[in-house]
Amino acid sequence: MNQKFGRLVAMIVGLSSLHAVLCSGELGKPSLIIPPFALVGDYVYFRCRLPERHGEVIDFTFYSEEANISVEASLQRNEENASITVSAVLRNQGHFMCKAEVHNNTKVTSLVSDRVYFKVVEPIQEVLLTLTLGEFFEGDDLTLHCKVHGGGGISYMWLLDGVELEVTSNPLHIRGLTQRDAGSYACVAISKMEQEVTKKSNNVTVTVREMLSTPQITFTVRKGEDQYFADITCSSDRGSLPANFSLRTYNETSEEVLTRSAGPFLDASFSVLVSLGRSGERAQCWVRDGRSTLKSNALLLEVVPVGGAVHINLEYDIGHNFEVVGVTLRCVVEHGTHPIYHWYLNDSSMPVEAGEEFYRLSDDGRFLTLLNVHTPTSYRCKAMDMFDTSSNVSSTQFLIDQDVLKNHIPTEVAALVLGCSLLLVVLLTACCIYGAKYSKRQPPEKIQLNWCDSESDAGENEELAQDDYEEDLDLVRAANMDEEEEADVDSLEDWIGTE
């Protein structure tokens, strides 16, 4: 009884639905439900659904003009939706629609769903990092391209020596390269589909070369069997290898250029013949690194043997209250371009290494700093050529006694005190001259003239000037009267004495 009742209800519902469809003349617009994308090789379901269930059989057609595909499916009575299975291949990518119509009934209008795009995505096959330039210098611009084959919805991450950079754009642009930008670069492609898939590129090493600094040129002299050579060194304090140095030697009549590759440091050495006493030869260094060319100052290749008088100059190290805490002896030779020096204490040789606790010598031996002074002691220095020590010239003995170590006012302080004293004297003298010149009263005639010439002054100034003038005349009369009285007294006394 219950089964018969259920069948009766279903029949009534179906008939009512069919009656509604037949009366309305249309099924309602279907909806196409498909995933937005799928990876190549996957299988996905396309579903087409009507707004309401129907008791009749509905035929559906899934099709895409772009993919050139058409698949039919049927919706049985009281089913919610019809579906088909589609293989995710590149040729099936495109816009899809579904059309619904009543089975074997052309009186009911068929409707078509909205277009829905189906994207077929290839997995990330390869990530390749490429450079726009091969060699970089400081200040250049760098551009790195990250090329991704396959994948979809790609975003990028950049790595420098394995550390993530705060850049997500592709390509990567860096302006004004510095040494901090050098290293190994890589990009990571991130495909965000149903799950995040990442793939790293190859590594690309970026080397940033330092810009060269202006080269420096120095030389020493070396003696051969019967000739002398200038060993010239060209060097730069800053820059990157590879670099080439060239030496240009020239005089008024000739010129020669030699070239060497620098390495392992930024320097190169050259040897040229020189003659003692001649000063016409000059040398200049050039350095090139493929980007820039720089040159040094010209250096005169003058070689003068040691000769003439040798003197010892004394310099003080002054402490608190002008106390002498140390002295430095400087050896000065009259002639010689490449001298070296040797010192003697009481005619005993003073080795460089042996006296670190008592004295210090400069690299060339010219300066002798006494750390622990014992008096009285005598010192002597000997000068010789760096390239030939067979001949030398020596100074006389220089005595260090207690008088030398007394408190000593530095020359600079003495000069400052003397200068201040002279300035004070000049100022005092000027003040005295100025006071003597303007403290004298002007003569009446000049006062009268100045008073007459100042007619444009205020009346008050004229009255003051007139009063001063009258006072001056009274003083003059009084002085004349005193002189006359004194003269009369003197005459009277002389007269009395005569009597």
Side-chain angles (χ1 to χ4, degrees), residues 173-193:
H173 296 287
I174 299 178
R175 299 188 180 278
L177 287 172
T178 65
Q179 292 297 313
R180 295 190 301 271
D181 300 316
S184 179
Y185 285 83
C187 74
V188 177
I190 305 171
S191 179
K192 295 183 178 180
M193 298 298 180

Side-chain angles (χ1 to χ4, degrees), residues 336-352:
T337 53
H338 295 77
I340 57 175
Y341 304 88
H342 194 80
W343 289 87
Y344 295 86
L345 170 61
N346 296 331
D347 287 330
S348 296
S349 178
M350 300 178 67
V352 177

